[in-house]
Every structure is written in structure tokens, then in C-alpha cells.
Amino acid sequence: MTNFTRLTLTAASLAFALTSAAEAEDAAEWKFSGSFRTRYEVLDDQVRPNFNSNENLISIRTTLAVERRQGPLTLAAEMYDSRVTSANRRSPISTNEVNTAELVQAYAALKLDGEALGPVTLQAGRFMLNIGSRRLVAADDYRNTTNGYTGLRIDMAPAGVKTTLIYVMPQVRRPGDIDSLLDNRQYPDTENDDLVVWGGLVARPRTIGKAALEAEFFHFEEHDAPGAPTRDRDLDTFGLRVILDPAVAAWDYEIEAIGQTGAVSRGSAVNDPTLDVRAGFVHADVGYTRAGGWKPRLSAEFDYASGDKPGGRYGRFDTLLGMRRADFGPSGIYAAIGRANIITPGVRLEVTPSKRLDAFASYRAMWLASDTDSFSTTSVRDAAGGSGDFAGHQLEGRVRYWAIKDRLRLEANGLLLAKGRFLQDAPNAPQNGDTSAYLAISAITQF
């Protein structure tokens, strides 16, 4: 019996017992929802090696969800169907784009009065997670597929301190071979104790003045599975975050520092050596929102994620299961900038002309934290360190508009990456244009 089967049976037994014990006057409430998103992406002068220099991709994502609430008990299920068209064998697609007809969520959640612990919610089964800043554990939304997790979650608030604890097995999306992905074939995703994440987050509001303070810890452990060799990551990741949310006519800020220790294999072969890990990440931003009109918010940002350097330790920061979109730019067929081996200051302007319309524009200059490691998530590398450490300039913008309020939203994303010396001269850098251009237009219908 698999871990998922055991968890499902446990959740089903809990649901049956609680439903039988529910008070007669607690009528069941049903909720049905779903969405359909179509996105057209264009990329010229790809920055990542071994892919088409120019790419066009149509991504389609359909979701269907059902939820039943009765008293303190919630039963829910959600299906994701993610697929692509117009791709070929050199397209930059993976299970980040394709995962057809998958039951990403199927869980039972129980709310209790925990007295000294405050309200307590217990959740078991398959579900999505977004914890804290979402830089370590998240359910990606910009990407065509999402991250699903199978296991247990507990939320409580002792003495007003919001606490989330998890023990989960990240769902491994399948299939992984290019032919199956191009055909949008359906294989059930799996989960087992060869890949486990446990830990949690505590958050206390108004701790430093009006700012909230968060502390987090996650243990990530993976082992080889039949037909799936891994780097046997055994990582402890811990962080602190101070955040003052944006408000009209006020300053806001966010500072997050994350450290990472543990062990990882140099490669996925059985005899590859194991290295000690010492890595880190820092994010900081400060902004101000003006009152009236479009409520413009102007902010300055800085991100640092360590890279690997020669020696007996491994120094490349691993973002685990975090998202990239909010900090660095689009994923999809671009997916060049992420939380690894990067130093990048930047500025951002956000505007909200109306409840239906919002937009932002941002600029970043980017350097390598280690000039002998691959730059961010591009896989472009100069192991000798002879190509310098300046990667380039990134300009990005996004506009979103609710054409039909709460039903149909249109979105356009545009990006220019002016390649610096490293992305032009590194030995495996694609020899195409000096500037990469990305454009994505999407429409999402919700019901």
C-alpha cells in the first residue's frame, strides 16, 4: 500500500466519521469552480543552450474544482489539465508545461477550537501549498502546471502567532520524456517517501512596529527511486522575514534572509561524491505608494542567491519548491532568471488605474555571484571563469485587465534581456542575437 493510499484512506475515514457526527442543522454547502486559460508565448534569441533559438508555444490549462463543507469539515478535490501545442523536440518544455488530467487536490480539512492553540485546522490528502513569501514552498500559478503535495498540514495560532506545520511528499509530475510531453500523454503523478519535505513557519503580526516577523524551517530530503536517479539532496533551509505591507501614502518594505546547509551529491551517478552545502539567499525591497489617481508604487529591490565555487563545499542556493514570477520574471519558455547564482539590484513601478486594470514595469541589472557556476537558471557556464560576471540588463512589464469582472481577464507580459559579456562569451552561450525578447498574451476565464 502506497503512502498516498494510506493518507487517502485515513482522510476518507476521518471524513466519514465527522460527517456522521455533524449536527443535523449543519446543512452541507457545495461549491463548484473552474478556469480555462490559453496563453500564446513568443521567444526570440533564446538565452538557454540546446533549445530552439526562436520559439512559439500555445499553452492551455483547464481546472475543475468541487468543495463540500458541513460544519467543521471540508472535503475538496481539484483537477488540473495542462497541455501545449506547436512544440517540437527542441522546444523548452517539460512537466512545467505538460501534466494532463491530474487530480492535484483531494483532501479533507477539519477546523477545531484549539483553546490555547487558537483555531486549529487539520488537513490530510493531496493539496496545494503557499507558505510565507512562497520562495521555498509554493503552488506556481504563472507556470502552466502547478506544484501539488501529498501529506499532512496543521494551522494554528497560539498566543496570536500564526503557525503552519507540514509533512508532505511533493507530487512527481509525469511523464518526463519528450515524446510523451509532445503528445500530451496522461500518466498519474506519484508521491513516495523518496522525496519528502517537512517543517513549517511561524508569523507574528506587528512585531517590529507595524511590520510582521516570520521564521521558517524546511527539511528537504530526496533519494534515488527506480529509474529516477537523483542528487540525493538532504537540505536544511531556514529563514527570517520582516515585512510591512504596502499601504496608500505610506512606505513599505520587505527583508528576507535564508540560509541553507546539508549535503548533496556532485551528480546523479551512484559513485558521485557527497558535498557539504553552505548556501544563502537575501531579498530586500523598499517602496512608497502615492495616494490618489493610479496609486503608483515605486520600489527599489535587491536579490542575492549564492553560486557554487571551487572547493570541497557546494554553494549554489536551492529554492526547493518556490516560485520565481513575483521576483524575477516569467517562467514558461523564458525561465532564464531564478533564485540561484545571481546578484541583482532593480527598480519597479506598479500602478492600479482601476479595480479592473493593473500594470507594472521593472528593470534589473544582473551579475553572477560566482563566475565559475552557471548563471541563474540559464545553464550557461564558464567553468574557468574567463567570461566575466556581468550577465546583462532585464526590462519587463505586465498589464492585466478584467474584460468581464471576475469572469474573464486578459494579460500581456513583455520582456527584453540585453545580454552582457557573460551571456555572449561563455563557451556554451547560444550564438544568436544580443537581446532576447519574450512576449506572452493570455486569457483566463473563471467560473
Side-chain angles (χ1 to χ4, degrees):
M1 182 183 296
T2 66
N3 287 303
F4 174 56
T5 303
R6 285 193 290 268
L7 283 166
T8 303
L9 291 174
T10 301
S13 300
L14 176 64
F16 178 78
L18 291 169
T19 301
S20 300
E23 298 180 2
E25 60 268 23
D26 287 338
E29 298 179 6
W30 291 85
K31 179 182 178 181
F32 299 89
S33 61
S35 67
F36 178 79
R37 185 180 75 182
T38 303
R39 173 180 290 149
Y40 176 61
E41 298 177 88
V42 180
L43 178 62
D44 292 333
D45 297 320
Q46 167 73 261
V47 68
R48 294 184 288 166
N50 303 317
F51 295 124
N52 295 321
S53 180
N54 300 316
E55 187 70 47
N56 296 268
L57 189 72
I58 298 174
S59 304
I60 301 170
R61 188 181 75 187
T62 305
T63 69
L64 294 172
V66 58
E67 182 180 280
R68 182 183 187 273
R69 294 187 179 182
Q70 185 168 13
L73 178 68
T74 298
L75 303 176
E78 185 170 19
M79 184 274 292
Y80 267 61
D81 184 86
S82 304
R83 56 186 67 219
V84 299
T85 66
S86 69
N88 59 51
R89 295 183 64 85
R90 287 182 57 84
S91 296
I93 64 169
S94 66
T95 56
N96 290 335
E97 284 71 43
V98 178
N99 194 24
T100 58
E102 184 59 41
L103 192 65
V104 176
Q105 298 203 96
Y107 66 83
L110 175 64
K111 291 186 177 181
L112 302 171
D113 183 1
E115 298 182 355
L117 296 178
V120 176
T121 301
L122 307 175
Q123 188 174 7
R126 280 188 160 195
F127 44 80
M128 293 188 290
L129 285 171
N130 286 294
I131 298 180
S133 66
R134 303 175 63 232
R135 294 186 175 105
L136 295 176
V137 178
D140 204 306
D141 185 60
Y142 184 88
R143 203 178 67 202
N144 205 42
T145 65
T146 191
N147 292 334
Y149 306 83
T150 301
L152 303 171
R153 171 178 177 163
I154 302 174
D155 291 278
M156 52 190 172
V161 178
K162 298 180 180 179
T163 303
T164 298
L165 303 175
I166 62 169
Y167 182 93
V168 296
M169 296 167 287
Q171 295 162 25
V172 179
R173 296 184 298 275
R174 300 194 308 160
D177 65 284
I178 185 64
D179 291 326
S180 296
L181 293 171
L182 291 173
D183 291 340
N184 295 296
R185 295 176 189 168
Q186 200 282 329
Y187 287 80
D189 293 351
T190 63
E191 61 277 285
N192 56 63
D193 53 14
D194 290 323
L195 180 60
V196 171
V197 178
W198 59 265
L201 176 142
V202 294
R204 187 176 186 272
R206 304 181 72 89
T207 300
I208 302 176
K210 295 181 180 180
L213 177 64
E214 297 179 354
E216 60 189 344
F217 171 82
F218 296 101
H219 178 76
F220 182 99
E221 188 171 348
E222 71 176 357
H223 304 286
D224 294 345
T230 71
R231 297 189 63 193
D232 298 311
R233 288 174 290 172
D234 188 349
L235 302 175
D236 290 321
T237 306
F238 41 90
L240 284 174
R241 180 185 184 219
V242 181
I243 180 169
L244 179 63
D245 290 327
V248 175
W251 289 92
D252 62 83
Y253 64 88
E254 178 188 9
I255 302 172
E256 182 165 27
I258 301 174
Q260 196 165 68
T261 62
V264 64
S265 295
R266 173 61 73 182
S268 58
V270 175
N271 59 348
D272 279 327
T274 298
L275 305 176
D276 290 335
V277 174
R278 295 292 184 273
F281 167 79
V282 174
H283 169 87
D285 69 69
V286 59
Y288 183 83
T289 304
R290 291 191 59 185
W294 290 15
K295 300 181 180 65
R297 176 182 180 265
L298 182 64
S299 62
E301 305 174 329
F302 175 80
D303 289 271
Y304 164 84
S306 61
D308 191 32
K309 295 181 179 181
R313 290 181 175 177
Y314 187 76
R316 185 177 177 87
F317 182 74
D318 191 323
T319 196
L320 304 183
L321 297 148
M323 58 78 213
R324 79 173 76 208
R325 179 67 183 92
D327 288 338
F328 294 110
S331 48
I333 60 175
Y334 179 64
I337 312 302
R339 210 164 283 111
N341 194 30
I342 190 171
I343 300 173
T344 173
V347 293
R348 182 183 298 252
L349 175 64
E350 302 167 82
V351 295
T352 309
S354 70
K355 292 182 179 180
R356 289 191 174 189
L357 178 64
D358 67 83
F360 80 80
S362 70
Y363 161 77
R364 285 183 175 275
M366 300 175 295
W367 288 263
L368 287 75
S370 167
D371 58 11
T372 58
D373 193 9
S374 60
F375 170 61
S376 200
T377 52
T378 63
S379 296
V380 177
R381 183 184 183 191
D382 184 346
S387 301
D389 60 4
F390 182 64
H393 306 272
Q394 179 176 283
L395 289 169
E396 181 195 0
R398 182 186 72 188
V399 178
R400 298 187 300 188
Y401 176 67
W402 285 101
I404 303 176
K405 186 179 179 182
D406 299 328
R407 288 291 180 266
L408 174 62
R409 187 170 72 181
L410 308 177
E411 178 176 329
N413 291 266
L415 182 146
L416 291 175
L417 171 61
K419 301 173 185 176
R421 180 191 168 198
F422 178 83
L423 291 179
Q424 296 182 43
D425 295 350
N428 67 333
Q431 298 302 301
N432 47 28
D434 294 338
T435 300
S436 292
Y438 171 83
L439 174 66
I441 300 174
S442 61
I444 181 168
T445 302
Q446 298 180 171
F447 53 90

